[in-house]
Amino acid sequence: SSSGEYELAIPADWQVVTKQRLIPLPDALFEQYDLLECRCFMGLFPEIKRAWITVDHRLFLWNYEDESDFYSFEDQEQIIVSVALVRPKAGVFVDTIKHVLVVATPLEVFLLGVGYEAGKLAGVRGGGGGGGEVTLYATQISVPADGVAMTSMCGTSDGRVFMSGNDGALYEFAYQSEDGWLTKKAKK
């Protein structure tokens, strides 16, 4: 028998993936994509119910639950090569910051604090928005990338941040609330 005749039996406990709903990207994102010069990446942050897209040096967050609440971050000039949403270390940030957005560029990796209130959305009557309200905070915490593009980043449940570089090395972005006598606020 040839491999063309082989049929794989699907286990009964597997579920077939079906499209439930199609959510188109907002027109504003397509307008930004038309301005693309170098790089574009996208993904999902289900913890805060946001889709994200980078267009060169700009980061956009969009509420995919109710297709509203479009937010842009453009406060830096380097091309964004990687983005991750992680838990913050205990005691480093104010209680309002529920997550940390790790943003990598060719020159540096920096942290943005993310405030998130589930079920609350500015501009929605009764505060019943499906995706909650997101606020970004500049933390002034960064480390140099030293010419290494961080291709993947993730965090642990206790707030540690790990990054893999295009040089094949694994890095940890170690950060604390303030500079110490012998330690910096952030190091790689």
Side-chain angles (χ1 to χ4, degrees):
S1 121
S2 72
S3 62
E5 298 171 9
Y6 179 74
E7 287 189 30
L8 178 64
I10 299 175
D13 59 341
W14 281 19
Q15 293 187 355
V16 177
V17 175
T18 58
K19 178 173 69 173
Q20 297 291 318
R21 183 174 98 178
L22 177 65
I23 304 171
L25 291 174
D27 290 339
L29 281 180
F30 283 112
E31 291 169 11
Q32 293 297 319
Y33 185 78
D34 289 341
L35 302 174
L36 177 70
E37 292 180 23
C38 292
R39 303 255 176 175
C40 177
F41 300 101
M42 63 188 324
L44 296 175
F45 293 141
E47 303 91 337
I48 59 171
K49 297 180 171 66
R50 296 295 185 275
W52 63 268
I53 184 169
T54 64
V55 178
D56 295 329
H57 70 281
R58 298 177 304 276
L59 170 66
F60 302 95
L61 298 175
W62 172 60
N63 180 339
Y64 60 75
E65 286 284 312
D66 61 11
E67 304 176 39
S68 68
D69 195 30
F70 182 79
Y71 185 89
S72 67
F73 174 78
E74 303 180 40
D75 290 351
Q76 56 89 38
E77 297 177 2
Q78 295 299 311
I79 293 171
I80 297 171
V81 296
S82 190
V83 179
L85 186 71
V86 302
R87 291 181 179 264
K89 278 187 178 178
V92 174
F93 303 108
V94 295
D95 291 341
T96 308
I97 295 178
K98 305 296 184 196
H99 299 87
V100 175
L101 196 58
V102 186
V103 181
T105 74
L107 293 182
E108 70 176 344
V109 182
F110 61 92
L111 304 181
L112 293 172
V114 179
Y116 177 70
E117 279 193 63
K120 181 177 179 186
L121 186 62
V124 175
R125 269 184 3 169
E133 185 176 353
V134 170
T135 307
L136 295 183
Y137 300 93
T139 66
Q140 308 303 319
I141 298 175
S142 66
V143 293
D146 297 325
V148 176
M150 299 303 165
T151 56
S152 181
M153 302 184 297
C154 66
T156 64
S157 60
D158 62 351
R160 294 175 70 186
V161 176
F162 292 94
M163 310 173 293
S164 61
N166 66 350
D167 61 352
L170 177 66
Y171 298 91
E172 181 174 1
F173 186 146
Y175 63 95
Q176 57 192 30
S177 58
E178 49 189 63
D179 287 332
W181 186 314
L182 300 174
T183 59
K184 292 185 173 186
K185 193 174 193 176
K187 63 182 177 179
K188 175 175 75 159

